[in-house]
Coordinates of all heavy atoms in Angstrom, one line a residue:
A47 N 27.4 1.9 27.6 CA 27.5 0.4 27.7 C 26.7 -0.1 28.9 O 26.5 0.6 29.9 CB 29.0 0.1 27.9
G48 N 26.1 -1.2 28.7 CA 25.3 -1.9 29.7 C 23.8 -1.5 29.7 O 23.0 -2.1 30.4
T49 N 23.4 -0.5 28.9 CA 22.0 -0.2 28.8 C 21.3 -1.1 27.8 O 22.0 -1.7 26.9 CB 21.8 1.3 28.3 OG1 22.4 1.5 27.0 CG2 22.4 2.3 29.3
T50 N 20.0 -1.2 27.9 CA 19.2 -1.9 26.9 C 19.4 -1.4 25.5 O 19.5 -2.1 24.5 CB 17.7 -1.9 27.3 OG1 17.6 -2.5 28.6 CG2 16.9 -2.7 26.4
M51 N 19.5 0.0 25.5 CA 19.7 0.6 24.2 C 21.0 0.1 23.5 O 21.0 -0.2 22.3 CB 19.7 2.2 24.3 CG 18.5 2.8 24.8 SD 18.3 2.7 26.5 CE 19.3 4.1 27.0
A52 N 22.1 0.1 24.3 CA 23.4 -0.4 23.8 C 23.3 -1.8 23.3 O 23.8 -2.2 22.3 CB 24.5 -0.2 24.8
E53 N 22.6 -2.6 24.1 CA 22.5 -4.1 23.8 C 21.8 -4.3 22.5 O 22.2 -5.1 21.6 CB 21.7 -4.8 24.9 CG 22.6 -5.2 26.1 CD 21.7 -5.7 27.2 OE1 20.6 -6.2 27.0 OE2 22.2 -5.5 28.4
L54 N 20.7 -3.6 22.3 CA 19.8 -3.7 21.1 C 20.6 -3.1 19.9 O 20.6 -3.7 18.8 CB 18.5 -3.0 21.3 CG 17.6 -3.7 22.3 CD1 16.4 -2.8 22.6 CD2 17.1 -5.0 21.8
N55 N 21.3 -2.0 20.1 CA 22.0 -1.4 19.0 C 23.1 -2.4 18.6 O 23.4 -2.6 17.4 CB 22.6 -0.1 19.5 CG 23.6 0.6 18.5 OD1 24.8 0.4 18.7 ND2 23.0 1.2 17.5
E56 N 23.8 -3.0 19.5 CA 24.9 -3.9 19.2 C 24.3 -5.2 18.5 O 24.9 -5.6 17.5 CB 25.5 -4.3 20.6 CG 26.6 -5.3 20.5 CD 27.9 -4.8 19.9 OE1 28.1 -3.5 19.8 OE2 28.6 -5.6 19.4
A57 N 23.2 -5.6 19.0 CA 22.6 -6.8 18.3 C 22.1 -6.5 16.9 O 22.0 -7.4 16.1 CB 21.4 -7.3 19.2
G58 N 21.7 -5.2 16.7 CA 21.2 -4.9 15.4 C 19.8 -5.4 15.1 O 19.3 -5.4 13.9
S59 N 19.1 -5.8 16.1 CA 17.7 -6.3 15.9 C 16.9 -6.1 17.2 O 17.5 -6.0 18.3 CB 17.7 -7.8 15.5 OG 18.2 -8.6 16.6
I60 N 15.6 -6.2 17.1 CA 14.7 -6.0 18.2 C 13.5 -6.8 18.0 O 13.1 -7.0 16.8 CB 14.4 -4.5 18.4 CG1 13.6 -4.2 19.7 CG2 13.7 -3.9 17.2 CD1 13.4 -2.8 20.1

Side-chain angles (χ1 to χ4, degrees):
T49 61
T50 302
M51 295 82 83
E53 276 170 28
L54 292 168
N55 172 261
E56 179 68 22
S59 65
I60 185 169

